[in-house]
């Protein structure tokens, strides 16, 4: 059970903050997960939601690249809620079963296609060593371009922030949703 009550309806926040609720709900179809607790600070939730809307729905990363970065981040943070929400999306976007297994098990990447391995390795280095090697950065920049590498790095940071909130507030994944192993 979450450490804070979930905010899922606009009448749970001050009227002058309803716009933040409405923006989050309209871009995602509803309010749940991290936003159900972030709305305890409605202005913060609105600003976080604005960035997330860009990264998820308007950015330059392909869907499979974005979702692979998100599930890799959720694995690094052992964040079941984030995994449960994005593992099915990763599959829908075309991330291979083998890549999903490698992420879930923290397994080796040598059997993956080079693009999937690149995203996972970039995420792992960013979150495990808090740096990216010159070689990996150059590879990623060559593949994604300057805007793409900027958005990949920011996507990792954004979902790391959400994982911190989800884990700290103990927001549970829905019953029956995919879980990290």
């Amino acid at each position: 059970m979450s450490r804070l009550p979930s905010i899922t309806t606009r009448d749970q926040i001050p009227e002058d903050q309803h716009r933040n609720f409405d923006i989050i709900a309209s871009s995602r179809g509803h309010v749940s997960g991290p936003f159900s607790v972030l709305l305890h600070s409605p202005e913060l939730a609105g600003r976080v939601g604005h960035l997330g809307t860009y990264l998820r729905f308007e950015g330059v990363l392909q869907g499979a690249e974005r979702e692979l970065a998100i599930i890799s981040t959720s694995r690094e943070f052992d964040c079941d809620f984030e995994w449960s929400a994005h593992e099915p999306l990763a599959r829908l976007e075309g991330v291979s079963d083998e890549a999903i297994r490698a992420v879930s098990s923290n397994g080796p990447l040598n059997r993956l296609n080079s693009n999937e391995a690149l995203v996972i390795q970039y995420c792992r280095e960013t979150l495990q060593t808090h740096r990216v090697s010159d070689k990996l950065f150059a590879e990623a920049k060559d593949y994604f371009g300057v805007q793409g590498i900027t958005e990949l790095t920011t996507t990792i940071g954004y979902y790391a922030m959400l994982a911190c909130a989800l884990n700290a507030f103990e927001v549970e994944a829905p019953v029956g949703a995919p879980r990290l192993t």
Side-chain angles (χ1 to χ4, degrees):
M1 180 173 202
S2 181
R3 289 178 164 167
L4 294 176
S6 291
I7 295 175
T8 57
T9 61
R10 66 197 313 257
D11 64 336
Q12 293 174 278
I13 61 174
E15 190 172 330
D16 68 334
Q17 293 294 320
H18 284 182
R19 65 179 161 65
N20 286 310
F21 183 95
D22 295 342
I23 289 168
I24 292 165
S26 68
S27 66
R28 291 158 177 83
H30 62 283
V31 172
S32 67
F35 294 101
S36 68
V37 290
L38 292 177
L39 277 162
H40 286 283
S41 177
E43 188 64 33
L44 171 73
R47 291 174 187 227
V48 168
H50 183 71
L51 176 58
T53 296
Y54 175 79
L55 292 171
R56 261 191 82 196
F57 306 116
E58 302 164 10
V60 299
L61 297 178
Q62 297 297 310
E65 297 162 348
R66 179 191 66 247
E67 292 301 327
L68 186 54
I70 295 168
I71 65 170
S72 295
T73 302
S74 69
R75 169 75 276 175
E76 292 301 316
F77 279 85
D78 297 325
C79 185
D80 267 333
F81 187 96
E82 202 165 71
W83 180 270
S84 74
H86 288 276
E87 185 265 0
L89 295 174
R91 291 182 188 284
L92 285 172
E93 292 289 351
V95 176
S96 72
D97 289 341
E98 195 166 38
I100 292 171
R101 278 192 301 277
V103 170
S104 178
S105 67
N106 284 312
L109 308 179
N110 58 331
R111 298 181 68 197
L112 303 181
N113 75 51
S114 60
N115 299 343
E116 289 178 328
L118 177 64
V119 171
I120 298 166
Q121 188 59 38
Y122 192 88
C123 184
R124 286 178 178 176
E125 278 194 27
T126 300
L127 296 174
Q128 291 174 8
T129 69
H130 313 288
R131 301 277 186 277
V132 177
S133 69
D134 289 341
K135 180 181 181 293
L136 182 60
F137 186 85
E139 265 181 72
K141 184 178 162 201
D142 285 347
Y143 178 75
F144 290 105
V146 173
Q147 184 174 351
I149 191 73
T150 302
E151 290 187 19
L152 175 64
T153 305
T154 304
T155 297
I156 293 165
Y158 177 81
Y159 282 91
M161 174 189 61
L162 292 183
C164 287
L166 289 161
N167 287 346
F169 297 129
E170 295 184 353
V171 178
E172 295 178 6
V175 175
R179 301 276 181 158
L180 284 164
T181 55

